């Protein structure tokens, strides 16, 4: 856990870390809620397509008008990035193409970037992280979001000398959810549609959490940051209680050791599992020797029948409320809270239903495709279409329900800058040896 030293406290007391926020949605609002009570940090600029909405977000989280007046509100992210009073940029748009553009501009401006936009990270994060390293700045996943918290647990286990058997997160999952559309999302999520409307909840965005896409994206980010790998068939979403992880995720059930996996908070009949991990993260690890196993017993660690496997879990994550950890780590120590080290896993567009030639893809959480986790080598071999580019492009031949879309299935816009950068990332990392 990040602990500020006395020297660092003195540093931020004399000049607080200056932050620019791109995207004042839910994640951004949760971060903003903590700013007034955080010493050593100030928000200089907020960029959002609607500056009025961004101001209202500040009011909604309790900012005074005086605090709001001290911030510049712009609708142009590039002007925020170019601002001389910004040390760290937070990219919280959730839009893959925009995220890549903003990250590259931030890196070119020699500023640190906290990549809340995990969609962009999974599309081309390995190359972005390499650019940042070469520029001497930090590219980091966002602490508080589940990928960074999983990375922290994996690092803890490895630093302690334990082999990581599995790591991941929890979610609410049923197989039928892969076909979920924005029309079904509130029923599948268990939310009253009227409450969703009052809360301004975006149906397509929330549907990406339901249909499996977001889980795949987050586990790809973990895989690329840690070297853990997905099963060839993707996520299995086994039902599991938090205290039963070692019995659900072991050599008998996993495809391989060192696997990323998401556990479901409900049984396949939809019944809720008591003590589930819907909002949490976990790591399953193995004792390296008999003495360590004995220590497990002596200190009340719950293990599998062999006594070798144990699990550590955190039952919740606080998303943007915890983001300051990443900001201070980058600004004060030039450290990340997790980020891609290689191209290990990918998330590919998969048909929710039969798709006819001529239909136009509508992106993650939409009506046509969901994102499936896949080993990167397998994705490249198949010529699979990344979920981050499965938007606004026309399908040129029929695709059956459940099939993975390929580049040949769509009319590629070769002038698209996100497409070009993805191709550059594939060229750079596609033939490299993967992490051990």
């Amino acid at each position: 856990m990040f602990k500020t030293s006395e020297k660092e406290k003195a540093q931020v007391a004399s000049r607080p870390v200056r932050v620019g926020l791109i995207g004042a949605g839910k994640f951004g609002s949760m971060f903003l809620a903590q700013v007034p009570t955080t010493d050593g940090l100030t928000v200089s600029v907020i960029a959002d397509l609607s500056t009025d909405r961004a101001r209202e977000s500040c009011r909604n989280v309790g900012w005074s008008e005086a605090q709001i007046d001290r911030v510049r509100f712009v609708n142009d992210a590039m002007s925020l990035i170019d601002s001389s009073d910004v040390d760290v940029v937070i990219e919280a748009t959730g839009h893959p193409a925009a995220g890549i553009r903003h990250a590259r501009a931030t890196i070119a401006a020699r500023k640190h970037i906290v990549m809340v936009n995990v969609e962009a990270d999974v599309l081309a994060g390995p190359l972005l992280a390499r650019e940042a390293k070469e520029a001497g700045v930090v590219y980091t996943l966002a602490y508080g979001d589940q990928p960074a918290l999983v990375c922290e647990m994996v690092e803890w286990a490895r630093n302690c000398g334990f082999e990581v058997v599995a790591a991941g997160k929890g979610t609410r999952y049923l197989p039928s959810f892969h076909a979920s559309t924005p029309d079904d999302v509130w029923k599948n999520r268990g939310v009253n549609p009227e409450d969703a409307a009052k809360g301004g909840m975006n149906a397509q965005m929330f549907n990406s959490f339901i249909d499996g896409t977001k889980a795949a994206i987050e586990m790809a980010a973990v895989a690329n940051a840690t070297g853990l790998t997905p099963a060839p068939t993707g996520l299995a979403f086994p039902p599991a209680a938090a205290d039963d992880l070692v019995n659900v995720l072991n050599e008998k059930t996993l495809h391989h050791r060192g696997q990323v996996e998401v556990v479901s908070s409900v049984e396949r009949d939809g019944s809720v599992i008591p003590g589930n991990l819907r909002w949490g993260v976990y790591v399953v690890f193995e004792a390296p020797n008999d003495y360590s196993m004995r220590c497990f017993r002596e200190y009340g660690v719950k293990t599998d029948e062999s006594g070798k496997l144990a699990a550590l879990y955190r039952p919740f994550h606080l998303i943007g409320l915890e983001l300051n950890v990443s900001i201070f780590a980058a600004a004060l120590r030039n450290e990340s809270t997790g980020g891609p080290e290689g191209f290990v896993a990918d998330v590919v567009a998969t048909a929710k239903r039969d798709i006819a030639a001529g239909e136009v893809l509508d992106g993650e959480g939409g009506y046509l495709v969901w994102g499936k986790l896949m080993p990167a080598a397998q994705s490249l071999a198949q010529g699979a279409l990344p979920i981050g580019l499965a938007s606004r492009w026309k399908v040129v031949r029929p695709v059956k329900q459940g099939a993975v879309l390929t580049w040949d299935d769509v009319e590629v816009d070769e002038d698209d800058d996100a497409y070009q950068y993805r191709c550059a990332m594939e060229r750079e990392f596609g033939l490299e040896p993967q992490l051990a």
Side-chain angles (χ1 to χ4, degrees):
M1 173 58 70
F2 187 90
K3 179 176 173 59
T4 310
S5 68
E6 292 303 317
K7 180 179 179 181
E8 289 163 343
K9 288 178 182 178
Q11 178 181 334
V12 295
S14 62
R15 203 201 80 169
V17 177
R18 302 169 300 177
V19 176
L21 171 65
I22 305 175
K26 179 61 174 175
F27 200 113
S29 293
M30 294 182 78
F31 157 68
L32 292 171
Q34 300 305 107
V35 171
T37 55
T38 303
D39 294 332
L41 182 150
T42 185
V43 175
S44 306
V45 193
I46 298 175
D48 196 275
L49 294 177
S50 170
T51 55
D52 289 340
R53 181 178 60 193
R55 288 187 177 88
E56 192 60 30
S57 293
C58 293
R59 294 187 184 97
N60 287 342
V61 301
W63 282 31
S64 68
E65 291 303 317
Q67 289 169 326
I68 293 172
D69 289 342
R70 288 195 287 270
V71 177
R72 292 199 317 280
F73 293 86
V74 299
N75 55 20
D76 176 16
M78 293 303 177
S79 68
L80 177 152
I81 293 167
D82 291 337
S83 298
S84 59
D85 56 352
V86 170
D87 305 309
V88 179
V89 173
I90 301 170
E91 213 298 344
T93 66
H95 189 281
I100 291 173
R101 286 194 296 272
H102 297 156
R104 296 195 72 194
T106 300
I107 293 165
R110 299 296 194 271
K111 296 175 182 179
H112 306 303
I113 181 158
V114 180
M115 200 63 157
V116 177
N117 189 339
V118 70
E119 293 82 2
D121 176 77
V122 169
L123 183 60
L127 189 52
L128 291 171
R130 177 178 287 181
E131 283 191 12
K133 184 176 181 180
E134 292 172 351
V137 295
V138 174
Y139 172 99
T140 180
L141 297 174
Y143 196 89
D145 218 358
Q146 286 166 307
L149 298 182
V150 176
C151 290
E152 180 181 52
M153 285 189 161
V154 170
E155 183 177 14
W156 167 85
R158 288 173 170 168
N159 285 343
C160 292
F162 298 122
E163 179 184 0
V164 175
V165 175
K169 56 169 272 184
T171 194
R172 184 171 181 267
Y173 169 84
L174 290 173
S176 61
F177 287 177
H178 289 312
S180 181
T181 72
D183 295 337
D184 311 319
V185 62
W186 306 131
K187 176 186 70 176
N188 292 334
R189 192 172 174 85
V191 173
N192 185 310
E194 293 181 0
D195 291 339
K198 290 178 183 176
M201 298 169 72
N202 182 297
Q204 181 162 342
M205 187 273 286
F206 276 92
N207 194 50
S208 69
F209 287 89
I210 291 294
D211 69 10
T213 300
K214 193 68 72 175
I217 287 173
E218 292 186 336
M219 290 304 95
V222 171
N224 290 338
T226 65
L228 299 175
T229 51
T233 53
L235 296 171
F237 298 95
D243 287 336
D244 202 34
L245 288 167
V246 292
N247 296 316
V248 174
L249 302 169
N250 52 50
E251 287 187 338
K252 296 179 182 178
T253 59
L254 294 169
H255 176 268
H256 61 268
R257 282 175 167 258
Q259 183 174 319
V260 288
E261 187 56 84
V262 174
V263 295
S264 176
S265 64
V266 298
E267 300 286 1
R268 291 299 190 251
D269 63 4
S271 59
V272 177
I273 299 171
N276 65 69
L277 204 62
R278 178 175 181 178
W279 309 109
V281 295
Y282 74 88
V283 61
V284 175
F285 52 94
E286 183 178 70
N289 51 54
D290 290 342
Y291 185 83
S292 297
M293 290 168 57
R294 190 172 79 187
C295 291
F296 283 175
R297 294 194 301 272
E298 291 172 348
Y299 287 90
V301 177
K302 187 171 182 179
T303 66
D304 67 342
E305 290 183 357
S306 72
K308 293 181 179 180
L309 293 188
L312 186 72
Y313 63 86
R314 176 176 168 173
F316 56 83
H317 64 297
L318 295 180
I319 320 177
L321 301 182
E322 303 178 74
L323 188 61
N324 291 346
V325 175
S326 291
I327 294 168
F328 284 126
L332 301 182
R333 298 182 184 172
N334 216 47
E335 295 177 356
S336 77
T337 49
E341 299 286 344
F343 185 33
V344 176
D346 200 8
V347 182
V348 299
T350 307
K352 290 185 174 182
R353 59 165 173 80
D354 290 350
I355 303 175
E359 292 194 77
V360 177
L361 297 177
D362 57 354
E364 67 170 277
Y367 291 86
L368 297 182
V369 293
W370 61 278
K372 181 178 181 180
L373 184 65
M374 181 179 286
Q378 185 177 334
S379 170
L380 293 177
Q382 292 185 18
L385 177 67
I387 189 67
L389 293 175
S391 178
R392 305 186 313 279
W393 287 0
K394 184 185 294 185
V395 176
V396 297
R397 61 187 184 186
V399 180
K400 290 291 185 182
Q401 181 180 11
V404 171
L405 279 75
T406 68
W407 296 111
D408 292 336
D409 291 322
V410 296
E411 188 176 275
V412 175
D413 178 4
E414 296 186 355
D415 294 327
D416 183 278
D417 57 353
Y419 165 75
Q420 294 174 351
Y421 197 73
R422 165 67 185 214
C423 290
M425 192 273 289
E426 290 188 2
R427 288 193 299 270
E428 287 292 317
F429 289 86
L431 298 179
E432 287 190 350
Q434 300 305 304
L435 296 175

